[in-house]
Amino acid sequence: MNNDKKYFERIAEYGQLIVISGPSGVGKRTILKEYMNEHPNACTCTSVTTRDPRPGETDGKEHYFISHLEFERMVRSHQLLEYGYYKRNGMEFLGRR
């Protein structure tokens, strides 16, 4: 039980990274919205994508929508935490922006 207490003390001091991952349409945004409602001190990282915005999406809210050229510049200048290439015409990554 002592180890559990130390674990939660570390989370309280340093925070905890939670990754919500899954295919399109499985409800990641719904889960995130509910989590954020229950944990008001939590923060999110907004990803960057080269795809066009979907109806209802706002630049800087769900994603930052950038050009392929800007994406490649960010890759070369090491501004990304991670990145991937999808479907040859779209690229997404988590980055420092």
Side-chain angles (χ1 to χ4, degrees):
M1 198 58 114
N2 194 22
N3 285 338
D4 288 344
K5 184 178 178 184
K6 287 180 183 177
Y7 173 74
F8 288 112
E9 286 173 355
R10 282 194 312 253
I11 289 174
E13 184 176 353
Y14 298 110
Q16 183 177 30
L17 173 66
I18 300 172
V19 177
I20 300 173
S21 179
S24 295
V26 297
K28 298 180 296 288
R29 206 169 289 143
T30 301
I31 291 169
L32 180 60
K33 181 179 177 184
E34 185 65 28
Y35 184 86
M36 296 302 291
N37 285 337
E38 293 179 12
H39 300 87
N41 292 331
C43 59
T44 62
C45 179
T46 304
S47 65
V48 184
T49 182
T50 60
R51 70 168 173 76
D52 292 331
R54 295 182 181 133
E57 289 183 326
T58 303
D59 187 45
K61 184 176 179 187
E62 293 83 10
H63 303 279
Y64 290 102
F65 299 96
I66 64 170
S67 69
H68 287 85
L69 184 63
E70 176 72 1
F71 176 88
E72 292 298 337
R73 186 193 65 74
M74 293 180 81
V75 169
R76 288 190 308 274
S77 61
H78 307 287
Q79 294 182 16
L80 315 176
L81 298 173
E82 67 175 358
Y83 65 93
Y85 295 90
Y86 301 97
K87 300 178 185 175
R88 293 189 181 191
N89 64 346
M91 306 167 196
E92 292 192 16
F93 59 89
L94 293 174
R96 293 174 281 204
R97 188 107 164 117

